[in-house]
Amino acid sequence: MIQLDQVKVRHVSMKLKKPFQTVNGLVVVRDTLIVEAYDRDGRVGYGECVAFSDPFYSPETTTTAWDQLKNFLLPMLNKKKINHPKDLHQIFSSIQGHQMAKASIETAIWDLYGKQQDKTLKDVIGGVRDEVESGVVLSLMDDIEKQAEEYNKKGYKRYKLKVQKGQEKETIERVQSVIGDRPIMFDGNGMYEPEDMLHLTKLDDLNLLMIEQPFRSDDFYYHHQLKSQMNTSISLDETIKSEHDAFQAIELGACDNINVKLGRVGGYQQAIQIHHFAKVAKLPLWCGGMLETGIGRAHNVALATLEQFTLPGDLSESSRYWEEDIIMEPFTVKDGKVKVPTKPGIGVTVNEKLLKKRTIRDFTHNF
C-alpha cells in the first residue's frame, strides 16, 4: 500500500528561450504545476500538470487544475487506500473531466511507486527500450530553415511543423529543402473544416509522415472520411482524451496512429489501456509534448518505451525550450535518440534550488 504523508503543489513559471506560436495560441512564459508526493519515509515522486495558462488547447488551465487539486482531488485521497498507482483512475472517476489535473498527481504517485520499488518507471510500466527516437516541433515563430538545419545536425528523426491554412505546401517544401527525405508531418490543431477536405487531399503528394488532428477534437466522422480519401496517415491528438476515445477511433477507422499525451488522457493507467488497444489493432503510437519541464519530459520518455510507441515522439532535448531546466541531468539528443534514465522512478534529480526560485505560489496537503 502507498501511504502518503503530504503532497505539495507548486505553481512554477518558466520563460521559454523563444516564444512558441501555433494557430491557436502563443506561449512566451510557461506556467505549469509541479506536484510532489511524499511518503512517510521521506521519498518523493514528481508529476507535472501540462495545462496551459489559457484554454486554447483544452478547457483546462493552470488555474482550474490548481482548484481541482486543492479542493477536490487531493482531499479524495484522504478517504481512499492506494494499493497501486493504477487505483488512482478509479478513485478519481467520480470527477468529470480535468484529465490534466488528475494526471499530475497520478504521475507523481507512479514516480513515487517506482522509487519505493527501487525500479525505473520504464520497468514498472513494462517498457522495452533503453533509448527513444526524438522528434522536434517547429512553431510558427521559428525561422524554419535555420531551425531545421540546427536540428538536422543533431539527427532528429522527425519534424513536426505548425502551419497556416493554405501555406502548408510552401512551409513543408522549405523544410524539405534543408533536411531532405527525413520524415515530416504537420499539425492541424483542429483548424480545418469539412469544406477543406479537397484542399487536404491535394497535399497527398508531399509524402508526409502524417497529418495530425486536422479537424476539431470531437469529430470522429470527418477524420474517418479524410482517412479513406488519403494515402497520408491521419493522426489524432486532441480527440483522444481516454481509452474509450481511442477504442472508438480504432473501431471507426478514424486514424492511422495516435498521439498519446499523459496529461490529455489522465495519466499512465489510461495511456497503458490505449497501448493495449493499439497493440491488438497493430496501430502505431507516439508520445506528444506540451512544452514540459524536465519532470514532464522524463515521464514522456518513460511512456515512449512501451512497445507500441513505434513512431518518433515530441521528445526534444531540454535546451530546445529552456536556458536552464529544473532537473540536474538535462535531456540531450544524440544521433536522433534520447537515453532513458536508469535511476529509480523517472530517473532524474530535481534542481530544488531552481524549482523554488521559479515557484510563484504553492500549497501543501497533509494526510
Side-chain angles (χ1 to χ4, degrees):
M1 187 167 68
I2 301 172
Q3 293 185 309
L4 296 174
D5 181 57
Q6 64 177 25
V7 171
K8 180 184 284 288
V9 178
R10 298 178 182 273
H11 182 168
V12 174
S13 186
M14 303 268 288
K15 186 176 181 180
L16 292 167
K17 287 172 70 173
K18 295 179 181 180
F20 191 87
Q21 177 76 60
T22 75
V23 293
N24 295 327
L26 173 68
V27 181
V28 178
V29 175
R30 182 65 165 109
D31 280 66
T32 187
L33 303 182
I34 300 299
V35 176
E36 305 170 8
Y38 293 84
D39 69 10
R40 295 177 183 179
D41 294 318
R43 286 172 294 228
V44 55
Y46 294 92
E48 179 170 350
C49 180
V50 297
F52 290 106
S53 300
D54 302 316
F56 63 83
Y57 174 81
S58 80
E60 285 189 81
T61 65
T62 49
T63 302
T64 66
W66 176 277
D67 176 70
Q68 287 295 316
L69 285 164
K70 187 172 187 177
N71 297 315
F72 297 97
L73 297 173
L74 289 174
M76 292 179 77
L77 299 184
N78 286 88
K79 306 170 186 177
K80 301 287 185 178
K81 291 182 179 179
I82 308 172
N83 294 309
H84 190 278
K86 65 183 180 182
D87 297 340
L88 273 294
H89 175 68
Q90 183 60 39
I91 291 172
F92 292 149
S93 62
S94 62
I95 302 292
Q96 298 299 308
H98 300 284
Q99 303 290 66
M100 295 176 184
K102 292 175 181 178
S104 65
I105 179 62
E106 194 245 34
T107 53
I109 292 176
W110 273 96
D111 180 31
L112 176 62
Y113 178 75
K115 290 168 179 171
Q116 290 176 337
Q117 299 296 311
D118 196 29
K119 294 180 179 180
T120 67
L121 201 49
K122 181 202 88 169
D123 291 334
V124 168
I125 66 173
V128 298
R129 299 183 182 88
D130 295 325
E131 54 185 11
V132 295
E133 291 191 333
S134 58
V136 68
V137 186
L138 304 183
S139 87
L140 293 172
M141 294 291 288
D142 289 333
D143 179 331
I144 289 290
E145 286 93 346
K146 182 179 179 181
Q147 292 288 310
E149 183 175 4
E150 175 185 346
Y151 296 119
N152 191 42
K153 289 178 181 177
K154 294 179 181 291
Y156 276 86
K157 299 292 186 181
R158 185 228 66 200
Y159 296 77
K160 181 165 85 173
L161 312 182
K162 300 294 186 178
V163 297
Q164 296 280 9
K165 188 189 297 187
Q167 298 177 21
E168 305 92 345
K169 190 172 187 295
E170 175 193 348
T171 303
I172 291 162
E173 288 178 343
R174 285 169 61 192
V175 174
Q176 284 176 330
S177 70
V178 176
I179 68 170
D181 60 358
R182 287 191 183 273
I184 294 180
M185 59 179 287
F186 75 82
D187 187 358
N189 282 124
M191 70 176 163
Y192 296 95
E193 302 292 341
E195 54 266 29
D196 296 315
M197 191 80 68
L198 180 60
H199 167 67
L200 288 168
T201 60
K202 289 181 178 178
L203 302 177
D204 221 0
D205 62 354
L206 292 174
N207 297 315
L208 297 173
L209 178 65
M210 69 182 88
I211 298 174
E212 181 184 0
Q213 196 67 44
F215 302 114
R216 50 190 276 179
S217 63
D218 59 355
D219 201 330
F220 289 89
Y221 177 75
Y222 281 112
H223 283 110
H224 164 76
Q225 290 294 306
L226 182 63
K227 178 181 178 300
S228 68
Q229 296 178 45
M230 294 192 76
N231 292 318
T232 303
S233 292
I234 304 302
S235 183
L236 291 180
D237 176 359
E238 292 95 325
T239 297
I240 310 301
K241 302 177 183 70
S242 67
E243 53 90 8
H244 186 65
D245 287 338
F247 171 75
Q248 290 188 93
I250 292 169
E251 290 297 304
L252 294 171
C255 63
D256 297 284
N257 65 72
I258 293 174
N259 166 351
V260 182
K261 292 177 178 172
L262 281 168
R264 197 191 65 238
V265 303
Y268 280 103
Q269 184 59 20
Q270 288 289 283
I272 291 168
Q273 281 296 102
I274 291 170
H275 180 264
H276 171 73
F277 287 139
K279 188 173 180 180
V280 171
K282 296 182 172 56
L283 191 86
L285 301 176
W286 56 284
C287 181
M290 295 281 285
L291 305 180
E292 294 93 346
T293 70
I295 291 171
R297 192 169 304 279
H299 279 288
N300 289 348
V301 168
L303 179 67
T305 65
L306 290 174
E307 183 180 356
Q308 207 60 25
F309 283 77
T310 56
L311 294 168
D314 294 339
L315 302 171
S316 54
E317 57 192 357
S318 296
S319 62
R320 167 71 177 95
Y321 299 118
W322 315 116
E323 292 289 356
E324 187 177 11
D325 204 345
I326 59 172
I327 58 173
M328 302 296 284
E329 312 92 347
F331 284 98
T332 59
V333 171
K334 183 177 181 181
D335 297 327
K337 295 183 178 181
V338 174
K339 285 192 177 298
V340 180
T342 56
K343 293 189 294 185
I346 56 174
V348 296
T349 307
V350 174
N351 185 334
E352 295 288 347
K353 183 178 179 180
L354 183 60
L355 178 61
K356 291 176 181 177
K357 183 179 178 181
R358 299 292 183 229
T359 298
I360 59 177
R361 59 174 175 162
D362 63 68
F363 74 85
T364 300
H365 182 90
N366 294 306
F367 292 89

